Amino acid sequence: MSKPRNNKSKGKPSGRGANHTRKESYARGNAPIKKKPQQKSTSNPDEIRLNKYIANSGVCSRREADEYIAIGLVTVNGKVVTEMGYKVKLEDEVRYDGQRVNPEKKAYVLLNKPKGFATTTSEGKGRTVMDLVANATSSRIKPIGRLGRNSTGLLLFTNDDAVHNKFTNSKNGVTRLFQVELDKNLKYEDLKQIREGFKIAGKEISVVDISYIEGAPKKEIGLKIKNTGNTIIRSIFEHFKYDIIKVDCVMIAELTKKDIPRGHWKHLTDQEVNNLKML
């Protein structure tokens, strides 16, 4: 009678016990793939997509801006741009249908300028009016017209090209009222000649109005002009042999120095801005 076979294997245990933790083998290519760190796309913070630039100006939506770009209605620095995704810088000149657009918020700042500050946006000119309005707004405003370094009074700043053009329009312009102090009394015949108009080197010179200041000496004059510079004031009185002691701009259109101490500024109200635009 044959003995029953012994089925127990003398080999190593299978290792399939419940408490056994199976170790995975990476021999067959199932090792986890290490992801390469993604490189961040470099972008220039000073650049903005052209469609966003136009949309921020309030002209239209981004989608509409894309359509205008595609059909060639948009120029950048004088060149037509039809490329989608084109990027521009804030200082670039962007025009839609011939009109310049500005992506910044419109700002209107009225300064009561003191002596000793040059009316310029250029650096390296010592103290300038831009130093006085540096904290007024983040928009890139610039002065309309000029006041000499030693002249005082109202000076308007804005980034609104439409308002700026209104002041510099040679036919219409915006009136400014100056108080001028001379080195001697202004003769009536000279005042009359200035009021009626005259020529300097063949060029016609005209003012809106000129008068003596009531209750003041005859050397203190009120002069209303539409010219945005104050060199015309010096030209007028030098022509009649007077030296200017002081020039103070006391009114621009209907804007006055009320509640603006010398060296300080204020933002125009919505009503004041609307009044300027309606001139």
Side-chain angles (χ1 to χ4, degrees), residues 29-36:
N30 58 346
I33 299 174
K34 293 183 179 180
K35 295 182 178 181
K36 294 181 179 180

Side-chain angles (χ1 to χ4, degrees), residues 129-140:
V129 292
M130 302 308 298
D131 298 325
L132 297 172
V133 298
N135 297 322
T137 176
S138 59
S139 297
R140 293 172 301 165

Side-chain angles (χ1 to χ4, degrees), residues 5-278:
R5 292 180 179 181
N6 187 354
N7 293 328
K8 291 182 179 181
S9 173
K10 293 182 180 181
K12 293 182 180 180
S14 65
R16 294 180 180 179
N19 294 329
H20 177 76
T21 302
R22 183 177 178 182
K23 295 182 179 180
E24 294 188 31
S25 171
Y26 297 145
R28 295 183 180 179
N30 58 346
I33 299 174
K34 293 183 179 180
K35 295 182 178 181
K36 294 181 179 180
Q38 293 183 348
Q39 293 182 349
K40 295 183 179 180
S41 59
T42 57
S43 60
N44 189 337
D46 295 329
E47 292 182 335
I48 182 174
R49 284 181 177 269
L50 181 55
N51 62 350
K52 183 179 180 182
Y53 184 106
I54 297 171
N56 286 354
S57 71
V59 171
C60 59
S61 67
R62 281 204 202 183
R63 179 174 295 181
E64 290 171 328
D66 283 335
E67 295 175 0
Y68 298 147
I69 293 168
I71 61 178
L73 286 178
V74 177
T75 63
V76 178
N77 299 327
K79 296 182 179 180
V80 175
V81 172
T82 57
E83 175 188 341
M84 293 297 106
Y86 188 88
K87 290 187 177 182
V88 296
K89 296 180 180 180
L90 288 177
E91 60 266 25
D92 287 336
E93 181 183 278
V94 177
R95 291 182 180 272
Y96 158 66
D97 201 18
Q99 297 296 316
R100 187 167 185 177
V101 295
N102 193 326
E104 297 176 322
K105 181 180 179 181
K106 297 293 189 295
Y108 310 87
V109 177
L110 187 63
L111 170 71
N112 187 356
K113 177 189 172 299
K115 282 186 177 182
F117 290 83
T119 305
T120 179
T121 56
S122 301
E123 297 180 355
K125 300 291 185 180
R127 297 190 303 174
T128 75
V129 292
M130 302 308 298
D131 298 325
L132 297 172
V133 298
N135 297 322
T137 176
S138 59
S139 297
R140 293 172 301 165
I141 56 177
K142 59 183 179 181
I144 299 178
R146 299 178 63 85
L147 285 176
R149 186 179 290 273
N150 291 320
S151 299
T152 60
L154 295 178
L155 194 60
L156 180 62
F157 297 74
T158 187
N159 60 342
D160 188 333
D161 286 338
V163 170
H164 193 279
N165 292 339
K166 186 180 291 289
F167 274 78
T168 55
N169 185 295
S170 58
K171 291 184 178 180
N172 299 319
V174 177
T175 57
R176 296 194 300 166
L177 177 61
F178 293 86
Q179 287 186 358
V180 182
E181 182 180 341
L182 304 175
D183 63 327
K184 56 188 176 184
N185 291 344
L186 178 63
K187 298 176 182 179
Y188 178 75
E189 53 266 31
D190 292 338
L191 181 144
K192 184 179 178 182
Q193 186 64 59
I194 295 171
R195 180 181 291 160
E196 293 175 351
F198 60 99
K199 290 184 178 182
I200 297 179
K203 182 179 179 181
E204 190 70 30
I205 304 297
S206 62
V207 303
V208 177
D209 195 15
I210 183 171
S211 62
Y212 297 116
I213 296 177
E214 186 175 352
K218 293 290 191 292
K219 64 180 181 178
E220 295 185 22
I221 310 300
L223 179 67
K224 187 178 290 187
I225 61 174
K226 287 186 176 180
N227 191 290
T228 53
N230 70 336
T231 54
I232 186 66
I233 299 176
R234 299 199 175 275
S235 297
I236 290 172
F237 290 107
E238 284 177 1
H239 179 76
F240 290 94
K241 311 301 182 186
Y242 296 91
D243 290 331
I244 293 178
I245 305 300
K246 183 173 70 174
V247 174
D248 186 32
C249 182
V250 297
M251 185 178 291
I252 299 176
E254 299 301 321
L255 301 173
T256 68
K257 295 189 292 184
K258 182 180 179 182
D259 300 326
I260 312 178
R262 192 80 78 195
H264 291 68
W265 51 264
K266 76 162 190 173
H267 289 285
L268 297 191
T269 65
D270 290 341
Q271 185 61 56
E272 288 172 330
V273 173
N274 290 334
N275 290 345
L276 276 181
K277 291 181 176 181
M278 292 173 62

